[in-house]
Amino acid sequence: MASNNGLLPTTATDATPKVEEKIFKGSAMTKRGAYAAISYMACAVLLVLFNKAALSSYNFPCANVITLCQMICSCGFLYALRRLKLISFNAGDSLTVTDNSKTLVPTKTLMKTMPLAMSYLLYMLATMESVRGVNVPMYTTLRRTTVVFTMIVEYILARQRYTPPILGSVALIVLGAFIAGARDLSFDFYGYIVVFLSNITTAIYLATIARIGKSSGLNSFGLMWCNGILCGPVLFLWTFTRGDLEMTMNFPNLLSSGFLVVVLFSCILAFFLNYSIFLNTTLNSALTQTICGNLKDLFTITLGWIIFGGLPFDLLNVIGQLLGFLGSGLYAYYKLIGK
């Protein structure tokens, strides 16, 4: 969707007659890119809190069903917005273009996004499995090494190179992660392998968003739509075969007004979160998205401690978190000044 429509921005592939306005002279990040990064972090923090309320406060046992509801709602929102001609799915398309296809995008374009859907499913399955067998501090520590895997995947796929200041800020983030989890460095071979596999699939997923976003001609809404209609049926079959749908129907608080409100807000936030992930990754980079994820974790930990409590004070953990925050801040600074 072209930015001169006066509606939501979509991706860096939008056809605009003017050069993007930078944050300031020499900046490598545009204002749209900065807004996308900030929007992602805000939506992610709020979504974690609502998901925690559903899974912990109401003791809902099926996280996969919540993910399925979020995907169905996102596709529903996108379908309605497209039919009302409020958004387009292709970069530079007029909002008045009529979609004759039932999928709202050409089948050939839909097939081009298959690698994105496959990488998303692998990322989702690996992430769900990675939380087993590894304690939470060690899981958080190992997951923050995703930035390294992202840099490797971007180099393999796009020969992307990074400057010494960027490499230094990433090293600081990883160092902070291991210091934060230093007291819980218990070794579990299977657990470590699965977490590192989760890191690899996360890096591939983000790099695939950036790559397909530039080659498919789709904007962020189009990428979300294709990913949803390809992954939705697979996720539905997954939850059905695991018995999650049956467990959901027998959940005692299923029709509770409080639970339904929490799930509703979770679905709405998931829509905006997915949009901001696609937007941030295509406008900036897969590495920027990963750094934003690390920065988001720090805000989530702080806000979660204030709201839910239960987090014991540990000096090494605090030092590690501060180093991670410093590394993320330095990355943002170097990105802004164009280094």
Side-chain angles (χ1 to χ4, degrees):
M1 177 171 55
S3 60
N4 56 10
N5 289 326
L7 298 174
L8 289 172
T10 50
T11 71
T13 58
D14 293 351
T16 52
K18 60 182 180 180
V19 178
E20 289 282 4
E21 185 180 0
K22 304 291 185 179
I23 298 292
F24 51 81
K25 187 175 181 180
S27 171
M29 181 180 286
T30 65
K31 284 187 176 180
R32 290 173 66 197
Y35 292 153
I38 294 171
S39 297
Y40 160 74
M41 289 187 285
C43 290
V45 171
L46 290 173
L47 181 60
V48 167
L49 296 179
F50 276 99
N51 284 345
K52 180 173 177 58
L55 297 172
S56 299
S57 300
Y58 286 94
N59 295 316
F60 185 64
C62 306
N64 291 339
V65 174
I66 292 181
T67 303
L68 179 62
C69 290
Q70 292 170 348
M71 190 171 289
I72 292 173
C73 287
S74 291
C75 287
F77 292 152
L78 289 169
Y79 184 84
L81 290 172
R82 182 65 192 108
R83 285 305 186 192
L84 292 173
K85 295 183 172 56
L86 296 176
I87 62 171
S88 69
F89 287 164
N90 295 293
D93 267 5
S94 169
L95 296 179
T96 59
V97 172
T98 302
D99 296 299
N100 295 320
S101 171
K102 291 182 179 180
T103 59
L104 301 184
V105 294
T107 303
K108 185 177 180 180
T109 301
L110 187 64
M111 290 300 102
K112 285 183 179 180
T113 64
M114 280 292 291
L116 176 62
M118 293 175 61
S119 65
Y120 173 78
L121 290 172
L122 289 174
Y123 149 75
M124 183 181 65
L125 294 175
T127 300
M128 287 189 296
E129 182 64 25
S130 65
V131 299
R132 303 178 187 180
V134 179
N135 56 57
V136 173
M138 201 61 242
Y139 172 77
T140 305
T141 297
L142 296 176
R143 282 292 285 161
R144 288 194 184 169
T145 62
T146 302
V147 293
V148 178
F149 290 94
T150 303
M151 296 176 78
I152 294 173
V153 170
E154 284 196 315
Y155 176 76
I156 294 173
L157 294 181
R159 289 294 183 263
Q160 175 69 51
R161 297 178 183 272
Y162 296 97
T163 61
I166 294 295
L167 294 174
S169 63
V170 169
L172 196 59
I173 292 171
V174 175
L175 175 63
F178 278 99
I179 290 177
R183 295 193 192 278
D184 293 276
L185 288 174
S186 55
F187 182 77
D188 183 314
F189 181 77
Y190 174 76
Y192 274 47
I193 290 297
V194 174
V195 173
F196 281 128
L197 179 62
S198 177
N199 290 348
I200 294 172
T201 56
T202 301
I204 292 173
Y205 173 57
L206 295 176
T208 305
I209 291 176
R211 190 176 183 86
I212 292 182
K214 295 175 182 177
S215 63
S216 65
L218 296 169
N219 58 33
S220 295
F221 292 121
L223 291 172
M224 286 174 62
W225 171 255
C226 292
N227 193 53
I229 62 176
L230 289 174
C231 294
V234 177
L235 185 56
F236 175 80
L237 290 175
W238 175 261
T239 55
F240 179 77
T241 54
R242 284 174 54 93
D244 289 345
L245 295 179
E246 184 178 354
M247 290 177 62
T248 300
M249 296 305 296
N250 295 326
F251 182 58
N253 293 321
L254 181 62
L255 299 180
S256 166
S257 58
F259 176 74
L260 292 176
V261 168
V262 167
V263 173
L264 175 62
F265 275 98
S266 173
C267 291
I268 294 173
L269 284 168
F271 171 77
F272 287 107
L273 175 66
N274 287 326
Y275 171 72
S276 61
I277 288 175
F278 283 99
L279 189 63
N280 189 29
T281 305
T282 50
L283 283 177
N284 297 311
S285 69
L287 181 61
T288 299
Q289 171 60 31
T290 306
I291 297 293
C292 287
N294 285 340
L295 200 56
K296 172 266 299 180
D297 288 340
L298 297 172
F299 291 118
T300 303
I301 291 171
T302 303
L303 199 55
W305 178 75
I306 294 173
I307 296 176
F308 297 103
L311 183 67
F313 176 82
D314 182 84
L315 182 60
L316 280 180
N317 188 277
V318 172
I319 293 174
Q321 299 293 350
L322 289 176
L323 284 175
F325 183 83
L326 178 61
S328 300
L330 286 174
Y331 175 87
Y333 171 73
Y334 291 133
K335 187 75 174 177
L336 289 176
I337 65 176
K339 285 192 176 182

